[in-house]
Amino acid sequence: MKKYLLTFFLFQKRLLKRPAFIIIFCLMLLITVGLKLTSKMKSGVFSIALVKDKTNEASVTNIINELINSNSLINFFECEDEESAKEMIAKNKISAAWIFYDNFEKKMKKAGETEAVIPVVKIYETQDTPLLSFTREILYAKLYPYFSYEASKAYSKNIANINFSESEYREIYEYYIISDSLFSLRSFNGEKENIQNYLSSPLRGILALWFILCGFAAALYFIKDEQNGLFVWFPKNKNFLLSTGMHLIILTDAFIFMIIALICSGLFISIQSEIPPLILLLLSATFFCNILRIICKKPYILGAIIPFLLIIIIVFCPVFINLKGFSFIQFLLPPYYYLNSIYNPLYLLFMTIYTAVLGIINFALTKFK
C-alpha cells in the first residue's frame, strides 16, 4: 500500500510541475469568483424604470425603494418622468417602465372597499415575453399588501360588523400578516435552498462539465506516457490499478478545486449533500474516461471525439436545460447522475449502481486488453 501511495505522490508532484494543469485548475476558480461577483452587480437580466407620476405618496416611495434595494436579477432604477422612460423604451435601452399613478392610496382604498378593478400602475414594455411577465408578478407582490389591507378592513366593517380605529386595525393587521415567504425551495433531503443559488445553478453544470474535461485530459496524458514507455516496469496484471490511479491523480486535484469553487460560488449546500455525489462523480468520471481511452487507443481519435462528447453532455445533461425523453443517452453520462443526485437521493442510488457497472466494465477491459 505504501508503494502505491508513494507512486501516487510522485506522479502528483510531477503533474503540479506542469503550468498548464495549474492554469486549468485556477482558471475555473477565477471564472467561479467572477460569476459570483457579476451576479452581485446591479446590471441584471432586465432593466426596469420606475416613475412617480405627479405623486410623492409615502407608499409609492416605499415600493420604489424596496424594488431598487432588492437583491434581484433585475436592475430597477428611478426615472424622472414618463416621457424619459418611454424614450428609453423606444431606443431599447430598458426592458420595461412602471409608471405609478397619482392618488395611489385613494385608489387602493377604493379598490379594496368596492372590489373594483382600478389601474394604479401603467406598464410599458419592449415586448411581451414570458420573462417580462414574470417581472410583473414582482410588481403584483409589492402592490398586494396595500390592497389586502383595505380589503380586509372593508370586510371587517361591512360584513363582520367589527369596527376598530385605524391604529387598532393596523396593529391587528400587522400582527396576523405573514412575514415569511409562502414558498421556500428545498432539496429532497430537506436542506433549504437560497433562491439565488437556484437561479445560478447552471454554474454547477459548468463545473461538472469542466470536471469531465479534466478526465479527458487525464486519459490523453496517460496515453502519451504509455506511448513513451513510462510504465514498462509496471506489472501487466496491475493495469486496472495503474490506469485508474493515473486518472485519479488529475481528477483528485479537480475534486478539491471543485469543492472550493462550489463554496466560493455559494452553491455548496452541506457536507452530507455534496461530498457523496462528488466522490461518485470522481469514480464514475475516472472509469468513464478510462473506458473511452481503451476503446479509442490513439490520442488523435480520443481528441477528435472529445468536442462531440462535450456537446452531448451540454445538450442532454441538465447544465442549462433539462431535456426529457432522452434517457437512453443521459443514463450513459456521469454528469447527468451527479446534477440530479444533488437534489434527488434516488439518483444517488442510480449513480452508485452506474459507477459500479462502469468499474466492472473497466476492470474487464483492462484485464483482457
Side-chain angles (χ1 to χ4, degrees):
M1 187 63 181
K2 289 183 179 180
K3 182 174 67 174
Y4 292 122
L5 289 175
L6 178 61
T7 303
F8 183 89
F9 173 77
L10 292 175
F11 275 102
Q12 185 71 259
K13 184 178 178 181
R14 173 173 171 259
L15 173 67
L16 295 177
K17 288 182 178 180
R18 295 179 176 268
F21 282 101
I22 301 298
I23 292 172
I24 290 173
F25 293 142
C26 293
L27 185 61
M28 196 64 244
L29 288 180
L30 290 174
I31 292 173
T32 302
V33 173
L35 288 173
K36 180 68 174 179
L37 294 175
T38 302
S39 67
K40 293 182 178 180
M41 295 174 64
K42 220 27 198 168
S43 57
V45 177
F46 296 112
S47 290
I48 297 179
L50 307 173
V51 181
K52 291 188 286 187
D53 183 21
K54 302 175 185 178
T55 179
N56 287 315
E57 293 173 282
S59 53
V60 174
T61 302
N62 289 338
I63 291 173
I64 290 177
N65 288 337
E66 286 175 8
L67 290 170
I68 292 174
N69 297 322
S70 61
N71 183 18
S72 172
L73 297 174
I74 303 166
N75 178 25
F76 292 105
F77 67 97
E78 189 169 359
C79 187
E80 293 181 3
D81 52 53
E82 183 176 344
E83 291 303 316
S84 300
K86 288 167 65 177
E87 185 178 349
M88 285 189 284
I89 288 282
K91 293 180 180 179
N92 281 320
K93 290 184 177 180
I94 58 176
S95 303
W98 296 347
I99 318 299
F100 290 82
Y101 288 124
D102 58 346
N103 297 319
F104 174 85
E105 293 175 1
K106 288 183 179 179
K107 291 176 179 177
M108 276 296 185
K109 183 176 182 180
K110 186 177 179 181
E113 292 175 345
T114 63
E115 299 183 6
V117 178
I118 301 175
V120 292
V121 178
K122 185 190 296 183
I123 296 178
Y124 295 101
E125 294 178 345
T126 53
Q127 55 185 331
D128 189 14
T129 64
L131 288 175
L132 274 175
S133 298
F134 172 74
T135 65
R136 293 198 292 270
E137 297 296 331
I138 298 174
L139 175 61
Y140 302 152
K142 295 297 180 184
L143 298 177
Y144 183 74
Y146 296 92
F147 169 79
S148 67
Y149 174 77
E150 298 296 341
S152 58
K153 187 168 68 172
Y155 176 86
S156 298
K157 290 181 179 179
N158 302 331
I159 298 177
N161 294 321
I162 300 174
N163 291 308
F164 293 106
S165 66
E166 186 69 22
S167 60
E168 288 175 332
Y169 186 78
R170 173 61 70 179
E171 184 179 348
I172 294 171
Y173 180 83
E174 294 292 343
Y175 178 80
Y176 286 104
I177 195 170
I178 300 174
S179 57
D180 294 333
S181 175
L182 290 175
F183 301 96
S184 64
L185 180 67
R186 291 181 180 271
S187 59
F188 275 86
N189 59 12
E191 297 286 346
K192 190 171 182 179
E193 291 289 316
N194 186 309
I195 189 64
Q196 294 296 327
N197 289 353
Y198 178 74
L199 292 172
S200 61
S201 61
L203 180 58
R204 185 185 292 277
I206 294 171
L207 288 169
L209 185 69
W210 167 81
F211 194 90
I212 290 296
L213 185 60
C214 290
F216 291 145
L220 290 171
Y221 195 45
F222 182 80
I223 293 175
K224 183 180 177 182
D225 284 344
E226 197 174 34
Q227 289 178 341
N228 290 336
L230 192 63
F231 308 118
V232 293
W233 54 272
F234 208 88
K236 292 291 183 181
N237 61 341
K238 299 294 179 64
N239 278 340
F240 173 74
L241 292 176
L242 173 64
S243 59
T244 302
M246 290 303 296
H247 284 75
L248 281 173
I249 289 172
I250 294 176
L251 287 175
T252 299
D253 294 336
F255 175 88
I256 296 170
F257 274 82
M258 190 164 174
I259 291 175
I260 297 172
L262 288 170
I263 293 173
C264 291
S265 66
L267 290 176
F268 194 91
I269 302 172
S270 63
I271 293 176
Q272 61 268 28
S273 296
E274 296 286 354
I275 299 303
L278 275 174
I279 291 174
L280 289 173
L281 178 64
L282 172 66
L283 296 174
S284 61
T286 297
F287 296 145
F288 180 80
C289 295
N290 196 32
I291 289 170
L292 287 176
R293 175 193 67 83
I294 296 170
I295 294 172
C296 294
K297 295 182 181 180
K298 303 295 183 181
Y300 62 86
I301 298 177
L302 179 58
I305 68 169
I306 285 175
F308 296 102
L309 289 171
L310 293 177
I311 293 172
I312 289 172
I313 291 172
I314 292 173
V315 172
F316 293 104
C317 294
V319 177
F320 299 104
I321 57 174
N322 192 4
L323 293 178
K324 303 293 184 181
F326 297 93
S327 55
F328 62 97
I329 297 175
Q330 294 167 327
F331 285 160
L332 298 175
L333 307 171
Y336 177 77
Y337 294 93
Y338 166 71
L339 294 173
N340 282 289
S341 66
I342 295 297
Y343 304 106
N344 190 342
L346 185 60
Y347 275 91
L348 195 63
L349 174 62
F350 293 158
M351 194 176 187
T352 303
I353 297 171
Y354 170 76
T355 303
V357 171
L358 284 185
I360 293 170
I361 295 173
N362 203 338
F363 179 79
L365 289 176
T366 54
K367 186 75 173 177
F368 303 105
K369 180 181 174 183

